[in-house]
Amino acid sequence: MAFFFTPQNNCLRLRNHRFLAGFHSSASVQGSQKPRSRLAKSLQPETNRGTLEVASFERSSPPHHGRAERKPVDPGVVSFRRLARRDAVLSETGKPTWNKESPRFNKEKPAQTNEVGKSEDRPEYRKEKNMDYDASAESEEFYNPPVLVTTGGSTEIAATLKGAPGRFNSPPLLPGFVTALKEMLGPDVRPTPIQSLSMKWLFDENPAFEYNQFLLASETGSGKSIAYLLPLLQNIKKAEEAAAAAGQAPKPSSRPLNPRGIILAPTHELSRQLSLFAKSLLHDVKLRVMCASRANTKTGKSKDVSASEMAAQFDNLMKGGDGEFSVSKDPHPVDLVVGTPMKIMEMIKGRGWDRKEIQEGEEVDPSSLRRGRDKMVGFGKWKSKPELGLENVEWVIVDEADVLLDPDFQEVTRSLLADISEARGHPVTLDPFPTSAAEKLPEDKEVEYPFNLVLTSATIPSSLARYLDAYHPRLIRLASPRLHHLPKTLQTEYVGWTGGNKNADIEKRVRKVWAEDALSVATSETPVTSLSKILVFCNKSSKVVELSAYLSEKGIKNVALTSAGEERRRGSNKHLDGFLRPIRSSCSSAPSRTPSPPATPVEPLAPGMLSDPSKDAHVMITTSLLSRGLDFDPSIKHVFIVDEPRNMIDFLHRAGRSGRAGQAGRVVIFGKTKGRGSDKARDVKQRVRALV
């Protein structure tokens, strides 16, 4: 079948294949033979098998017919439009406005209108590269204190570090802490801005209140752990010495553990690292630290009381005594307890305190059951005995407060703080905090805890700022100058997906890092014996498992860690060996303090002799589980962010695992840089640029 159009606007439909074959012409002409005509003499079929149908239609005229010819535009007008579009910027309301400060704005603008009278010199409203994303991003996610030291309602107290200590000296520190710091961080160690502010405000011997409230906020890798551990440990030690000198006994308690201080951390990994870090400061200043996130071990001796003392206590019971047996001679088996809020609550109320008791045959809504806690029939009946007393707690540290006081986690944290207050004879009420920014804040709900409260965080989200304004208006906020910014030594790099297998793109970038290490062997002044280690962050656990399996198949040994990983249940951080920063201390197992003779120069190894990534894990893949507070080894110079960050708060914490304490680092951000969907990557790039 074929269709033909005639000059009379007729459409011809032909169905005879023999007739169509007649339209074929010879490809060549021989001699003087007249070439065959390509046009048919008649469209009527030769046989009765074919039919001829004629359809006629009218074609509409072109759209430009009947209109006046458009006048050419002056080239000067075109040039002005292009410059005007370039000067269009994004205002705070998100609408394009004219940049009146531009010298081009005041130039005389030629008028050009069309026949309808509408102006033709309007700029196209489209996003330009010089648009300001900083103000809109920070106003939604972050709260930026106006000065370094503020209190509720952004009341300014101090704008500079004037008067803050510039060295770790004694006083104000105890000599034992100064020695420990020099052995851990070097003889010429100097405090960071947040550490200087901490020593100025938290070591005040004449505070305005009996119990103080502070917030320590500074960028990642700035030493916030030292900033709160030093005043915490020193005040506990001085209080112990003052009580012993005055002959004051601690408040009696029937429980074996009665600490003076508690540190709350969001993860078990961070709790274990903090406890080891605190112990490394206490080799000269003797205090006892317990990590609640370690493997289950006995907390006391099985035989603490002699037979005669047991007999005397039994006689007292028979005569109508209180019936309490003094199992431990020491009323303070520990001075400081470090753990997650849920683990601390289990030590206070007994393990299983929050489980629902499900009876056999009882109908329960499956949606009300919590994962791993309420799904076993009768499992909630068993509870262990409480072992932690709260009567003597004088200091509480909430590390990573932006997580533990987040609307999703603050219920357990605030309940724990309320239990400590009640145990110390000052109960407080728990009111639900509005989770939406549109909800009105509660009035006259200021909370006064009967202990010193210190919150720490690398970011101050708007939700945390609203919580502090509502419940802790007198809390003093100490902020470093570079709060909500990436470390200066951290570089950013953007890698685009090639459009194929994303895991292959990640593998390619990993091998590029190691290729650069191999090339640096010849140029490095110090011997290079190991390849760089890489930390990869994903948004989902399924992505972690998938990427880990792919890299293992390609011969790259790696460590994949998710919230449900079996390694986390061992009660230690051995699964993170080689990735966390080793803690240097003056313990007996450490090397001698005497300076060792100069080491024999070692010839740089060939690239092939570097550490083998197929045998030793050089890549760790995880989610935001390990993005909070952990101090990673300086060998981790690269952080890969392979999924688009949910927000800039999450990005700051992930990227901050590298470039810590002045070390060089690089964060590599993967995304789609071309084609459809690349707008998100460009938006992320602009928002990250505001954090540099």
Side-chain angles (χ1 to χ4, degrees):
M1 182 181 297
F3 295 89
F4 292 91
F5 290 93
T6 64
Q8 291 77 22
N9 291 337
N10 294 330
C11 177
L12 306 180
R13 183 173 62 180
L14 305 178
R15 297 181 178 178
N16 193 333
H17 65 281
R18 294 182 180 178
F19 176 76
L20 295 176
F23 283 86
H24 177 70
S25 61
S26 175
S28 60
V29 179
Q30 300 179 359
S32 60
Q33 183 180 358
K34 186 177 181 181
R36 184 188 301 177
S37 175
R38 300 190 178 201
L39 299 179
K41 297 181 180 180
S42 174
L43 297 178
Q44 190 67 28
E46 298 179 356
T47 62
N48 296 331
R49 298 180 60 182
T51 59
L52 173 64
E53 297 182 7
V54 180
S56 56
F57 64 94
E58 295 184 0
R59 181 183 299 171
S60 58
S61 60
H64 59 274
H65 280 198
R67 295 190 180 184
E69 183 179 358
R70 186 172 180 175
K71 299 179 181 179
V73 183
D74 187 4
V77 178
V78 177
S79 176
F80 174 79
R81 293 180 195 168
R82 186 181 299 109
L83 296 178
R85 287 196 297 268
R86 188 187 307 172
D87 291 338
V89 296
L90 189 65
S91 65
E92 295 182 359
T93 59
K95 299 179 180 179
T97 56
W98 292 103
N99 185 5
K100 296 185 179 181
E101 297 179 358
S102 174
R104 304 188 189 98
F105 185 82
N106 298 324
K107 289 184 178 181
E108 184 179 356
K109 180 168 55 176
Q112 180 71 24
T113 57
N114 54 18
E115 296 181 358
V116 186
K118 297 182 180 180
S119 177
E120 295 182 353
D121 54 4
R122 297 179 182 177
E124 296 181 6
Y125 294 153
R126 56 190 180 93
K127 292 184 178 180
E128 298 291 340
K129 293 183 179 181
N130 60 347
M131 289 186 175
D132 182 15
Y133 288 83
D134 191 5
S136 60
E138 292 194 359
S139 62
E140 294 176 359
E141 297 185 50
F142 300 109
Y143 165 78
N144 291 305
V147 293
L148 299 185
V149 184
T150 58
T151 185
S154 299
T155 304
E156 300 182 7
I157 298 179
T160 64
L161 294 173
K162 185 177 181 180
R167 280 190 174 275
F168 293 112
N169 293 328
S170 177
L173 296 176
L174 294 177
F177 291 132
V178 178
T179 303
L181 286 172
K182 291 183 178 180
E183 291 176 348
M184 292 173 53
L185 306 177
D188 299 328
V189 59
R190 290 179 177 271
T192 61
I194 193 63
Q195 294 168 356
S196 297
L197 290 172
S198 174
M199 287 191 291
K200 178 181 178 180
W201 289 88
L202 274 70
F203 284 90
D204 189 4
E205 297 182 355
N206 299 310
F209 299 90
E210 182 180 5
Y211 299 107
N212 296 310
Q213 300 176 1
F214 291 97
L215 169 65
L216 307 181
S218 64
E219 66 276 11
T220 57
S222 58
K224 291 185 292 295
S225 300
I226 292 180
Y228 68 75
L229 278 176
L230 289 177
L232 167 66
L233 298 175
Q234 179 157 314
N235 280 277
I236 291 177
K237 187 61 179 180
K238 285 189 172 183
E240 180 183 298
E241 294 175 350
Q248 298 177 355
K251 296 180 181 180
S253 176
S254 59
R255 300 185 180 183
L257 303 177
N258 295 276
R260 296 179 184 269
I262 295 177
I263 299 179
L264 303 177
T267 63
H268 296 298
E269 288 79 8
L270 180 57
S271 300
R272 296 164 190 151
Q273 190 179 52
L274 289 176
S275 63
L276 292 176
F277 192 53
K279 291 178 182 179
S280 65
L281 294 172
L282 296 173
H283 291 294
D284 294 330
V285 181
K286 300 301 181 182
L287 289 175
R288 289 150 294 188
V289 180
M290 176 183 177
C291 180
S293 297
R294 297 194 67 84
N296 295 331
T297 56
K298 292 184 178 181
T299 57
K301 299 179 181 179
S302 58
K303 297 181 180 180
D304 292 326
V305 185
S306 63
S308 59
E309 291 173 338
M310 290 288 290
Q313 292 179 9
F314 185 75
D315 293 339
N316 183 33
L317 175 62
M318 298 301 296
K319 293 178 181 179
D322 55 3
E324 293 292 340
F325 283 81
S326 236
V327 179
S328 176
K329 294 181 181 179
D330 192 348
H332 289 286
V334 294
D335 297 295
L336 177 64
V337 175
V338 187
T340 62
M342 284 298 300
K343 189 64 178 180
I344 299 295
M345 290 292 282
E346 288 181 354
M347 299 177 66
I348 297 172
K349 299 184 178 182
R351 189 174 183 180
W353 65 275
D354 62 333
R355 294 189 179 120
K356 298 179 181 180
E357 297 186 4
I358 306 174
Q359 306 294 336
E360 294 185 5
E362 180 182 358
E363 295 183 0
V364 182
D365 183 9
S367 60
S368 65
L369 299 179
R370 294 164 297 175
R371 182 179 61 182
R373 290 186 175 270
D374 305 322
K375 293 188 176 182
M376 295 182 64
V377 176
F379 192 72
K381 295 180 180 180
W382 176 84
K383 293 182 180 179
S384 63
K385 294 182 179 180
E387 56 181 341
L388 188 64
L390 305 175
E391 294 84 356
N392 299 290
V393 175
E394 298 178 355
W395 285 80
V396 176
I397 311 293
V398 182
D399 202 354
E400 304 296 332
D402 57 336
V403 175
L404 296 184
L405 292 178
D406 184 84
D408 296 333
F409 302 97
Q410 67 171 249
E411 179 181 357
V412 178
T413 305
R414 295 179 62 195
S415 299
L416 176 56
L417 299 178
D419 290 344
I420 300 175
S421 299
E422 184 178 0
R424 292 180 58 83
H426 185 79
V428 297
T429 58
L430 284 177
D431 297 325
F433 181 76
T435 57
S436 174
E439 300 182 38
K440 186 178 180 181
L441 290 173
E443 298 180 358
D444 300 330
K445 294 295 183 180
E446 181 177 356
V447 177
E448 289 290 343
Y449 291 119
F451 50 82
N452 296 286
L453 178 65
V454 179
L455 312 178
T456 69
S457 178
T459 54
I460 307 179
S462 301
S463 59
L464 178 61
R466 296 178 70 244
Y467 173 84
L468 298 179
D469 289 338
Y471 292 99
H472 304 283
R474 73 173 181 87
L475 178 139
I476 298 178
R477 307 171 184 180
L478 309 178
S480 68
R482 287 192 58 81
L483 178 65
H484 297 156
H485 287 79
L486 294 174
K488 292 183 178 180
T489 57
L490 186 66
Q491 300 179 352
T492 56
E493 177 185 348
Y494 302 91
V495 176
W497 301 118
T498 60
N501 188 353
K502 292 184 177 180
N503 294 336
D505 295 338
I506 299 173
E507 179 202 359
K508 180 180 178 181
R509 189 62 185 88
V510 168
R511 297 191 182 277
K512 181 180 179 181
V513 171
W514 295 337
E516 295 171 353
D517 294 341
L519 292 176
S520 66
V521 172
T523 59
S524 178
E525 298 179 358
T526 58
V528 178
T529 60
S530 177
L531 298 176
S532 298
K533 295 182 179 179
I534 303 171
L535 187 60
V536 183
F537 283 106
C538 305
N539 286 350
K540 296 182 179 180
S541 299
S542 57
K543 176 66 175 179
V544 172
V545 176
E546 176 189 350
L547 179 58
S548 174
Y550 179 86
L551 294 180
S552 299
E553 182 181 354
K554 296 298 181 179
I556 299 178
K557 188 175 181 179
N558 60 85
V559 176
L561 189 64
T562 62
S563 58
E566 292 291 337
E567 301 85 355
R568 304 189 68 222
R569 303 179 184 180
R570 298 175 182 175
S572 67
N573 283 349
K574 290 184 178 180
H575 55 288
L576 302 179
D577 286 348
F579 291 92
L580 293 184
R581 182 192 294 268
I583 298 178
R584 297 165 50 190
S585 63
S586 59
C587 58
S588 57
S589 60
S592 174
R593 300 182 188 180
T594 58
S596 57
T600 304
V602 179
E603 292 295 331
L605 298 177
M609 297 298 293
L610 294 177
S611 54
D612 189 356
S614 63
K615 298 180 180 179
D616 301 326
H618 285 67
V619 178
M620 173 170 283
I621 311 170
T622 183
T623 60
S624 293
L625 175 70
L626 300 184
S627 66
R628 295 283 179 161
L630 286 173
D631 191 13
F632 283 90
D633 191 82
S635 62
I636 298 182
K637 299 183 181 299
H638 290 77
V639 172
F640 287 7
I641 300 180
V642 300
D643 292 328
E644 180 184 351
R646 297 184 178 94
N647 49 60
M648 288 296 103
I649 295 176
D650 194 25
F651 172 81
L652 272 176
H653 286 277
R654 292 185 178 188
R657 297 313 99 196
S658 182
R660 302 177 64 83
Q663 298 288 335
R666 180 183 294 269
V667 54
V668 181
I669 308 168
F670 289 80
K672 189 174 183 180
T673 58
K674 298 180 180 179
R676 181 180 299 177
S678 60
D679 292 342
K680 294 182 179 180
R682 285 194 293 267
D683 181 67
V684 169
K685 187 175 182 179
Q686 292 287 352
R687 301 179 71 182
V688 170
R689 187 177 301 171
L691 305 177
V692 176

